[in-house]
Amino acid sequence: MASGADAAAAGVAALGISGDGEWAEACPPLRRNLRLLAPDEVELAKMLLNEGQKHLFEHWPEPGVDDDKKRGFFDQVRRLNSNYPGGLVSYIQNAKELLADSKAGKNPYDGFTPSVPSGEVLTFGDDNFVSLEAAGVKEARNAIFVLVAGGLGERLGYKGIKVALPRETTTGKCFLQHYIESILALQEASCKMAEGISQFTWIGKEGEDGCHKKIPFVIMTSDDTNALTIKLLESNSYFGMEPSQVKMLKQEKVACIADNDARLALDPNDKYKIQTKPHGHGDVHSLLYSSGLLEQWKSEGRKWVLFFQDTNGLLFNAIPSALGVSATKGYNVNSLAVPRKAKEAIGGITKLTHVDGRTMVINVEYNQLDPLLRATGHPDGDANCETGYSPYPGNINQLILELGPYTEELKKTHGAISEFVNPKYTDSTKTAFKSSTRLECMMQDYPKTLPPSAKVGFTVMDTWLAYAPVKNNPEDAAKVPKGNPYHSATSGEMAIYKASSLILRKAGAQIADPVVDTFSGQEVEVWPRITWSPRWGLTFKDVKEKVHGYSSVSQRSTLSINGRSIFLEGLSLDGTLIVNAVDEAEVKLTGHVQNKGWTIQHVDYKDTSEKEEIRIRGFKFEKVEQLEVNYTEPGKHSLSA
């Protein structure tokens, strides 16, 4: 029986590579170690030398020293090679090209002229909005939701995964629970619509009465978040979703680049490892392509793929109407957007027309939009128009793609998305980096490869309704210029209460005005703390059907509604009321509820005696007094205080 070394040597010979390793002459340490390598490892080594990467081997000792680590190095190279479209050769060549452009200061928009694209601007609560919501709910049973959740909450001052953070602390429900409950509510409402069943006569569970269509839910994770996300799902029974509906796709990191010659960077803590960093959420497209899920969904008659990010607690207020826009307008790509102030630190959705006639509708980052406009005949650059906002709507990184054209496009590109590189140079000569860099990609850059015939549009909604991401820690948020959004855990939670209050107002309830308070240096509006479960108020029509008579909520009040058929019929609330009801219970809330309620206590974000998720908000509730009512029996009930 041949030894491992003999087998490796035989394999090298079989590959037509000279057994004495002449091809490795330029790198003696590698040449001396060739007999350790399996045939595929020899091929990888040859590829690395051809791509100018001999430095990866120059520190290798004689055979017999660290042999396991040398083989481990090739395990990593194998993974890096297989996880990138076109392999490491493509990655290194793309890096060389992008780094050369970066050093030369090449403008990625050279030759393009910006203009305002066409799209839909919605007004919450009007007839058009309500009809689009209905159209979106109808389409939801043909949709797939894809959550991009590869990041930890370190930037927030939170050590866990972001989707485990409470969306709001009235109920303590985390972002992932809210997303799943929203998808399940859409699934149920869409099934009812398909079966022509009224909201108030539906008693069966999903899957009964001929409606078997479950909405698939894909979560893209990373090495940082995968195990923790699975644990969060499993320990909470998937928050009511069937485990078979949930698919996990884990993105891998990419190799770091050490210099302008695209030499791969070795890990400073382990000379037998290439340093890696995240590639960006654009990987979601290549993962979906390679998973085979797209073809499976297509064969099941699915029509739409909705992409969203991990900590926008208001997103599902916007989903039904935006999906309705995609369905009625026939958009292949629909970017959800909000009104944007000129020069605000949020990308603008822009139509770009090249001198050669090419056009695309794409997100242009705010720091590139102003110079692009100035360079193409707009002396004021990124300026507000007569509406008080920029004519270029603000991109919020939530996309709705039509599945058929999306699948066909990915067959051409294998899911590869236009990349960029952002090296931090040591000085103006741009010859050396402060630290290693890597290629990155963003999921919203998908339209860059589309043909001009693609129907790409956007849907603009009020910021208060649709957009309150949680990204910044208290210290960074406090430095945000006054009047600009904080995008913190503080502002994110307060935005949920504001949206609930304004929706109820529009439905006819009397909701008190907010007061202004400051938490961790952030001045915010404090509205009544109103929350409800998605199946209570999925659409504005749902809410409107459940608010009758004169109902009022005072500013210091907290109202939590958890159940399908709970009606506000002349409720006057001054304090805290929590109502839980099973689906088969119909509950009318009337009369005057008054108690000491919950008070808001300020919390110092440096106070380590408080949990991280509380500290990053700058406040907590002191639950002085409340009325909590639970309806566990079917039938008609009334709370008359």
Side-chain angles (χ1 to χ4, degrees), residues 31-81:
R31 186 174 179 177
R32 287 193 295 271
N33 282 277
L34 280 182
R35 64 182 180 80
L36 299 173
L37 308 185
D40 73 314
E41 293 169 344
V42 171
E43 283 293 273
L44 290 170
K46 195 173 186 186
M47 174 267 290
L48 288 170
L49 288 198
N50 285 343
E51 295 302 322
Q53 307 295 326
K54 73 174 184 176
H55 66 284
L56 297 173
F57 306 101
E58 283 175 340
H59 61 278
W60 277 27
E62 298 294 323
V65 181
D66 291 343
D67 290 353
D68 287 346
K69 290 182 177 178
K70 294 167 188 171
R71 293 189 189 96
F73 168 81
F74 279 104
D75 287 341
Q76 185 194 23
V77 171
R78 204 178 281 114
R79 282 198 308 277
L80 291 170
N81 193 49

Side-chain angles (χ1 to χ4, degrees), residues 117-180:
S118 62
E120 294 296 299
V121 180
L122 306 188
T123 302
F124 175 76
D126 68 8
D127 289 345
N128 181 50
F129 185 88
V130 171
S131 69
L132 286 169
E133 279 200 318
V137 170
K138 186 178 180 183
E139 285 293 323
R141 61 201 294 267
N142 298 316
I144 301 109
F145 285 85
V146 180
L147 169 62
V148 176
L152 294 169
E154 290 161 325
R155 181 174 156 192
L156 282 164
Y158 176 65
K159 291 191 182 74
I161 52 173
K162 288 192 279 185
V163 291
L165 264 175
R167 173 178 172 260
E168 37 75 23
T169 50
T170 301
T171 66
K173 285 183 183 178
C174 68
F175 280 102
L176 189 56
Q177 178 171 359
H178 174 72
Y179 296 151
I180 286 177

Side-chain angles (χ1 to χ4, degrees), residues 466-485:
Y467 189 53
V470 175
K471 298 194 274 195
N472 294 323
N473 65 54
E475 285 188 77
D476 290 343
K479 294 172 190 167
V480 168
K482 194 169 180 182
N484 284 11

Side-chain angles (χ1 to χ4, degrees), residues 251-410:
Q251 73 177 133
E252 301 294 336
K253 293 177 180 175
V254 291
C256 290
I257 306 289
D259 56 29
N260 281 326
D261 295 324
R263 296 196 327 155
L264 303 182
L266 283 166
D267 189 321
N269 300 313
D270 185 343
K271 61 185 180 180
Y272 292 102
K273 273 189 183 162
I274 294 169
Q275 188 181 14
T276 59
K277 287 182 182 175
H279 189 219
H281 45 55
D283 277 350
V284 71
H285 301 295
S286 60
L287 284 170
L288 284 172
Y289 170 77
S290 61
S291 71
L293 288 169
L294 298 173
E295 290 294 343
Q296 179 190 322
W297 293 332
K298 208 171 157 191
S299 69
E300 293 168 358
R302 311 274 177 190
K303 287 187 193 170
W304 310 101
V305 189
L306 292 89
F307 296 85
F308 65 108
Q309 290 187 282
D310 43 20
T311 55
N312 178 10
L314 297 179
L315 172 71
F316 277 85
N317 293 340
I319 289 290
S321 54
L323 185 53
V325 168
S326 283
T328 55
K329 294 286 174 182
Y331 284 156
N332 302 143
V333 178
N334 184 4
S335 293
L336 273 65
V338 294
R340 177 184 164 277
K341 290 281 188 184
K343 301 180 181 65
E344 187 182 331
I346 176 175
I349 296 170
T350 309
K351 181 176 182 180
L352 297 175
T353 305
H354 198 267
V355 287
D356 64 12
R358 281 181 294 141
T359 64
M360 58 179 158
V361 176
I362 197 75
N363 171 66
V364 176
E365 289 302 328
Y366 70 96
N367 55 351
Q368 295 174 314
L369 182 58
D370 185 70
L372 176 61
L373 285 162
R374 289 180 189 277
T376 52
H378 302 81
D380 296 331
D382 183 17
N384 292 327
C385 61
E386 64 280 357
T387 63
Y389 289 95
S390 164
Y392 299 92
N395 167 55
I396 64 171
N397 268 6
Q398 323 291 338
L399 300 173
I400 303 176
L401 305 185
E402 188 181 356
L403 177 61
Y406 176 56
T407 305
E408 292 310 305
E409 181 63 23
L410 292 199

Side-chain angles (χ1 to χ4, degrees), residues 180-212:
I180 286 177
E181 288 183 354
S182 298
I183 293 168
L184 291 175
L186 268 170
Q187 177 178 290
E188 185 181 305
S190 195
C191 277
K192 286 185 218 174
M193 200 174 272
E195 301 298 326
I197 299 168
S198 152
Q199 151 109 331
F200 303 116
T201 58
W202 174 275
I203 301 297
K205 295 174 182 170
E206 298 116 24
E208 292 180 5
D209 298 313
C211 188
H212 297 279

Side-chain angles (χ1 to χ4, degrees), residues 3 25 30 57 84 136 206 227 260 277-278 285 296 323 335 357 423 449 466 514 527 543 612 636:
S3 69
E25 209 167 292
L30 172 62
F57 306 101
Y84 185 85
E206 298 116 24
N260 281 326
K277 287 182 182 175
H285 301 295
Q296 179 190 322
L323 185 53
S335 293
T449 59
W527 289 77
V543 176
E612 281 180 331
K636 298 195 173 185

